[in-house]
Amino acid sequence: MLYWHLFLAFFIPGILGYGGGPASIPLVEHEVVGKYEWLTTQEFSEIVAIGNSLPGPIATKMAGYIGYAEAGIVGSIVALFATVAPSLILMIGMMVILMKYKDEPEVKNLTKLIRPVIAILLGFMTIRFGIESVEGVGISYTVIIMVASYILLEKVKLHPAFVIALALVFGAITGL
């Protein structure tokens, strides 16, 4: 029964918390403090504070911690799954609809309109990252990493995960 309560405590805020983690914090608080009384308000606020200091989505960090505190590793897994399940269900549902209508002219036209927008957004992001890299480590290291990444990705056909790992190793060795 505890696993079911953990699931509900994080699934319901996941459905109702429009806008992501910050919007669902009061809903999670209502469930874990008010309804199930697993935590006090003080303990919950400490979890939120610690969760906000760590990278990544706050909702999954809270779910993992509270689930583990209440029911161990399995509780953590249940709470984490409950947190991402609403988004997962919606994505699968949208993919089913998209696959059903993928050959319709309206969907194809929409795809044609979205591609340039995505390309422009990625271009601006790349420029911003490049500028920040030059400001942070200098132009020489930025060019070295860009050229090496291009060669490894396009010529050697190395998987992007390995290129990222090599860039991290390069940064660790050079102290950047």
Side-chain angles (χ1 to χ4, degrees), residues 96-114:
V96 168
I97 293 169
L98 182 63
M99 288 296 135
K100 182 177 178 181
Y101 296 107
K102 71 179 179 180
D103 295 325
E104 297 294 321
E106 293 86 2
V107 174
K108 288 185 178 189
N109 288 336
L110 181 67
T111 307
K112 288 178 187 176
L113 292 172
I114 290 174

Side-chain angles (χ1 to χ4, degrees), residues 80-101:
L80 280 167
F81 176 74
T83 301
V84 299
S87 298
L88 186 65
I89 292 167
L90 285 173
M91 283 192 318
I92 292 170
M94 293 301 289
M95 285 303 297
V96 168
I97 293 169
L98 182 63
M99 288 296 135
K100 182 177 178 181
Y101 296 107

